């Protein structure tokens, strides 16, 4: 397992050397999902579970997104017995560092969440790694909870690949969610609570800024 001081430096260097396969993406490069849900006619709650590398980073991106009510860091893909950070970090549990997003489907669609997932939150073309964070626990995966989510996810991946938005094919897995296990309390809202951590400054913060610059209309307005 990497401790926190070991974790930030190689990952930060990896991010600087490879942003979406060496390509600096622009908002115009990302089409709207051709297959998506219609916005609900009244407020409600829906969930999405996504894995895209370190959950500190993916959590930080989606926490500021308009229509998102809550983001929880945790583990998906393995068992309850091994859903512990020090064990998951070995890469031998089947878990992926994941986030559980609770959102209002009258404000944001599942497809819009996936658009941010692919364009801002992580690189979906690197197998079992993000930057220098290496191992299956850092894999790109969408854990769907119903057939509609599966259909939207698979269709959008096919759409992005057909449009050659990335230089390399998307390797994101699309699998049914069995269970989501909430991570230890110190991982929750980590980027906000640990502003001076070099990993946050060098890896997480640039992704948050990327969302603000690429899709300012998707950022929640401050009250």
């Amino acid at each position: 397992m990497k401790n926190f001081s070991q974790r930030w430096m190689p990952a930060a260097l990896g991010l600087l050397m490879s942003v979406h396969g060496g390509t600096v993406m622009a908002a115009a490069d990302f089409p709207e999902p051709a297959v998506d849900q219609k916005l609900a006619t009244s407020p409600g709650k829906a969930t999405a579970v996504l894995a895209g590398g370190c959950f500190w980073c993916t959590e930080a991106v989606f926490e500021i997104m308009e229509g998102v009510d809550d983001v929880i860091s945790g583990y998906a893909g393995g068992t309850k017995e091994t859903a512990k950070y020090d064990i998951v970090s070995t890469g031998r549990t089947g878990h992926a560092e994941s986030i559980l997003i609770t959102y209002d489907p009258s404000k944001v669609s599942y497809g819009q969440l996936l658009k941010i997932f692919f364009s801002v939150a992580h690189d979906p073309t690197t197998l079992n790694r993000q930057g220098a964070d290496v191992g299956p626990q850092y894999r790109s995966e969408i854990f769907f909870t119903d057939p509609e989510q599966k259909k939207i996810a698979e269709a959008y991946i096919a759409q992005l690949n057909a449009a050659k938005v990335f230089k390399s094919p998307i390797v994101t897995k699309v699998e049914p969610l069995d269970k989501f296990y909430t991570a230890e309390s110190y991982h929750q809202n980590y980027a906000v609570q640990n502003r001076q951590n070099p990993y946050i400054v060098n890896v997480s913060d640039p992704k948050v800024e990327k969302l603000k610059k690429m899709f300012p209309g998707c950022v929640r307005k401050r009250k």
Side-chain angles (χ1 to χ4, degrees), residues 21-220:
T23 302
V24 178
M25 311 305 294
D29 293 324
F30 276 85
E32 294 295 322
V35 177
D36 199 3
Q37 303 165 323
K38 291 183 178 180
L39 289 179
T41 56
S42 59
K45 291 187 181 297
T47 59
V49 176
L50 306 174
C54 172
F55 46 27
W56 299 344
C57 300
T58 49
E59 180 190 65
V61 168
F62 284 100
E63 275 188 335
I64 67 167
M65 188 173 174
E66 180 65 35
V68 171
D69 297 323
D70 189 33
V71 185
I72 298 173
S73 288
Y75 314 105
T79 67
K80 180 179 179 181
E81 290 71 26
T82 59
K84 301 175 179 63
Y85 186 68
D86 57 342
I87 308 177
V88 171
S89 294
T90 68
R92 298 193 294 268
T93 68
H95 284 293
E97 290 194 13
S98 307
I99 54 171
L100 171 65
I101 303 168
T102 300
Y103 66 99
D104 183 345
S106 71
K107 294 181 178 179
V108 63
S109 69
Y110 186 71
Q112 286 296 314
L113 295 176
L114 295 186
K115 182 176 180 180
I116 299 305
F117 177 65
F118 284 116
S119 63
V120 175
H122 82 309
D123 182 348
T125 69
T126 54
L127 183 64
N128 293 333
R129 72 179 299 161
Q130 288 294 305
D133 283 338
V134 180
Q137 69 272 32
Y138 299 116
R139 67 186 181 270
S140 175
E141 186 157 356
I142 296 167
F143 294 93
F144 63 85
T145 59
D146 58 45
E148 185 178 26
Q149 287 189 353
K150 180 177 186 289
K151 179 179 70 173
I152 294 169
E154 291 180 339
Y156 198 40
I157 290 171
Q159 181 183 350
L160 295 176
N161 278 330
K164 299 187 183 304
V165 173
F166 301 100
K167 288 184 177 180
S168 302
I170 291 171
V171 298
T172 306
K173 293 183 176 181
V174 179
E175 300 287 345
L177 178 68
D178 183 14
K179 297 286 186 181
F180 177 87
Y181 303 99
T182 300
E184 295 82 351
S185 60
Y186 64 87
H187 288 300
Q188 308 305 324
N189 207 22
Y190 191 89
V192 172
Q193 300 298 332
N194 297 270
R195 293 301 313 138
Q196 303 309 311
N197 185 313
Y199 190 96
I200 298 304
V201 173
N202 290 278
V203 184
S204 178
D205 286 354
K207 295 185 179 185
V208 171
E209 289 306 310
K210 187 177 180 182
L211 174 63
K212 293 177 179 178
K213 290 178 181 178
M214 283 183 66
F215 304 106
C218 291
V219 178
R220 185 167 55 246

